[in-house]
Amino acid sequence: RAHFEDFAEVTDARVCTTSDGRSRNFGFVGFRSEKDAKKALRHFNETYIDTSKISVEFARPVGDEKLVRPWSKYSEGSSANERIAKKNQAKDEKVDWRKAKEERNKDKKIYTEEQRILLQAKTEPELKSFVEAFKKRSKTRVWENDDDALMQISEVKQVAVPSRKTGGEGVVHTRTHVKFE
C-alpha cells in the first residue's frame, strides 16, 4: 500500500495469501478514480518493489476472454488439462471395451494369456521342464527317474560301528545300510 500511495490516493490494497499465511505473490490495489488507476498502471508496470519485478494490470472478472490462458495441468481450460482428460477418457473407454468383450465371451472357451501359457506348460515338454526347474526343491525330483514305483528297497540293516575319532574309544555309532533293487 505504501509503495502505491506515494503516486496516487489508494482506497484499498490487499495481498493474496495461502491458508497458512504465506504470500501468493499477487494482490489488488484500488485507486480513487479510473484516471489515477491508468496513471499508476503506466508508472508501475514492469518496475520493481525491492528486488521483485511487478506487473500491473487492470483486474478482470473470472472467465473474461482477455485473461491469460491457464497453463497448469490442474487448471480447467489449459491444453495440458484437456490432454489429461482425453487420456483418462480413453482409459475408461478401453476398460469398458474389455468388460464388454469378457461378457460376450463368457460362455465361449477363450483363454486369457495366463491360461494359455499354463496350458502350454502342461502340454509342451520344453516349457514343462522350464517350469519344473523353478518349482520348490521339496516339490521337484532330483533325478529324472526319481519315481517311488521304481525305487524298491530290498534290504535294510543297522550296524554298530566303533568310533575312529581320537578320544572316542568305547563310543559306538549306529549306521543304517539300505540296498535297492
Side-chain angles (χ1 to χ4, degrees):
R1 183 180 189 116
H3 185 75
F4 291 94
E5 277 182 330
D6 294 340
F7 189 74
E9 186 181 349
V10 174
T11 58
D12 57 296
R14 178 173 170 232
V15 175
C16 294
T17 58
T18 61
S19 58
D20 61 348
R22 291 189 307 180
S23 172
R24 292 181 59 199
N25 295 326
F26 75 93
F28 299 95
V29 179
F31 291 95
R32 173 72 57 203
S33 66
E34 192 174 332
K35 183 180 174 187
D36 287 344
K38 286 181 180 178
K39 265 179 35 182
L41 178 99
R42 283 194 302 271
H43 181 75
F44 288 114
N45 193 27
E46 302 297 320
T47 60
Y48 292 86
I49 296 178
D50 294 329
T51 58
S52 301
K53 188 174 187 178
I54 61 171
S55 172
V56 180
E57 300 174 358
F58 285 111
R60 302 195 193 289
V62 176
D64 188 8
E65 304 252 337
K66 294 181 181 177
L67 282 175
V68 178
R69 186 179 70 81
W71 54 267
S72 171
K73 69 179 182 179
Y74 302 107
S75 300
E76 251 182 68
S78 69
S79 56
N81 182 274
E82 290 171 8
R83 220 178 8 255
I84 290 172
K86 284 180 185 177
K87 190 185 292 184
N88 289 340
Q89 185 181 6
K91 281 183 185 176
D92 292 343
E93 289 173 2
K94 195 176 201 180
V95 169
D96 292 343
W97 175 79
R98 286 185 180 161
K99 284 181 183 176
K101 186 177 179 183
E102 286 175 10
E103 288 296 321
R104 278 186 306 214
N105 297 328
K106 221 176 203 179
D107 299 330
K108 297 178 185 177
K109 193 70 171 179
I110 295 182
Y111 296 107
T112 63
E113 187 67 21
E114 290 174 352
Q115 291 172 332
R116 191 180 59 75
I117 290 172
L118 288 172
L119 186 64
Q120 280 181 331
K122 291 177 183 174
T123 57
E124 293 181 15
E126 290 176 353
L127 193 54
K128 188 175 183 179
S129 64
F130 176 77
V131 170
E132 284 197 19
F134 289 98
K135 282 185 180 176
K136 290 183 179 179
R137 290 188 132 199
S138 62
K139 307 259 185 205
T140 59
R141 297 184 294 179
V142 177
W143 301 99
E144 193 61 37
N145 61 357
D146 270 358
D147 204 358
D148 292 335
L150 296 174
M151 295 173 45
Q152 294 180 2
I153 300 171
S154 63
E155 183 183 344
V156 176
K157 64 179 176 180
Q158 290 188 336
V159 181
V161 181
S163 178
R164 289 186 278 159
K165 290 186 177 180
T166 55
E169 295 85 19
V171 178
V172 179
H173 296 287
T174 306
R175 292 194 181 162
T176 306
H177 296 277
V178 181
K179 284 189 179 180
F180 297 97
E181 290 183 348

